[in-house]
Amino acid sequence: MPRTFDGSVGWPALRERLATRLDPGTLAALDEAVAFAVERHGDQRRPAGEPYVEHLLEALEALAEGVGERDPDTLRAALLHDVVEDTPTTLEELRARFGDRVAELVGWVTKGEDREAYLAALPGAPDAAIAVKLADRLSNVQRLRTHPRPAKRASYYRETVATIVPLAAGRPWFEDWYRAWAAEHADLGGAQ
């Protein structure tokens, strides 16, 4: 069974755990990104009803605790990865507030209107953007069985196996996590 990450612990508890792994400057940068994400996502909820910020914290936790990522821009991008896609925030606004690299990483993982083109372009993304995408999808699929629509569970499982799991190649922690997840949830692939 792959490790499950739980954003419901909240930022203060996660921050306390990360304080043993990350330097104070990185933690301060994450404080700012968490505050911005909370402000922008507001009262948004995930399909199963949990607060949206929990998803963002899970992506951060997967990178920082699972993978061992320490790069502040990659970690901030994990927290901000949906702010352009799911709020009125623009990439230009993100760039002005968090810098070029964070905006670039978020840009790579922001879906446009053409989902197929977006997924097809991902293998050409910088390594840090792929890491953010893998952490994002990990959070989305770790509790896929709780999604309220069975057809969505099946299609999302199949899409993940076909387009996201290959991105984990050469990234041992993600390879192991996704291999275990795919095996544990294989029954979802055939459901319609």
Side-chain angles (χ1 to χ4, degrees), residues 14 44 54 56 58 66 88 94 100 106 116-117 126 140 152 162 179 189:
L14 179 56
Q44 289 179 346
E54 291 180 12
L56 307 173
E58 288 168 2
L94 208 61
D100 290 338
V106 170
E116 305 254 339
N140 286 339
K152 177 66 173 179
R179 183 180 308 113

Side-chain angles (χ1 to χ4, degrees), residues 112-140:
E113 292 187 23
D114 187 342
R115 185 177 185 91
E116 305 254 339
Y118 161 76
L119 292 169
L122 279 175
D127 284 345
I130 291 174
V132 170
K133 184 61 193 176
L134 289 167
D136 165 34
R137 185 61 69 105
L138 181 156
S139 171
N140 286 339

Side-chain angles (χ1 to χ4, degrees), residues 1-4 177 180-181 184:
M1 170 184 277
R3 176 179 173 182
T4 300
W177 192 94
W181 171 83
E184 185 177 299

Side-chain angles (χ1 to χ4, degrees), residues 23-186:
D23 65 68
T26 299
L27 287 170
L30 294 177
D31 288 335
E32 181 184 7
V34 168
F36 188 84
V38 167
E39 171 196 322
R40 295 306 166 101
H41 286 284
D43 293 333
Q44 289 179 346
R45 302 291 229 185
R46 302 290 289 161
E50 67 273 12
Y52 203 91
V53 70
E54 291 180 12
H55 163 62
L56 307 173
L57 293 175
E58 288 168 2
L60 170 65
E61 184 183 9
L63 284 174
E65 290 189 341
V67 177
E69 181 63 60
R70 299 294 176 262
D71 175 61
D73 288 341
T74 304
L75 296 174
R76 290 188 302 168
L79 288 165
L80 300 166
H81 74 267
D82 280 334
V83 77
V84 172
E85 186 174 313
D86 295 335
T87 79
T89 306
T90 66
L91 274 177
E92 292 71 32
E93 184 178 2
L94 208 61
R95 182 173 288 105
R97 180 91 179 251
F98 296 100
D100 290 338
R101 187 155 180 263
V102 170
E104 176 194 11
L105 298 176
V106 170
W108 272 103
V109 298
T110 299
K111 286 185 287 299
E113 292 187 23
D114 187 342
R115 185 177 185 91
E116 305 254 339
Y118 161 76
L119 292 169
L122 279 175
D127 284 345
I130 291 174
V132 170
K133 184 61 193 176
L134 289 167
D136 165 34
R137 185 61 69 105
L138 181 156
S139 171
N140 286 339
V141 301
Q142 67 180 352
R143 291 183 207 86
L144 188 56
R145 292 184 192 286
T146 67
H147 195 284
R149 296 186 336 241
K152 177 66 173 179
R153 289 192 297 256
S155 67
Y156 207 69
Y157 174 87
R158 290 190 300 269
E159 178 185 270
T160 300
V161 169
T163 63
I164 304 302
V165 171
L167 297 174
R171 296 169 174 84
W173 189 89
F174 278 124
E175 280 183 312
D176 292 345
W177 192 94
Y178 276 103
R179 183 180 308 113
W181 171 83
E184 185 177 299
H185 291 78

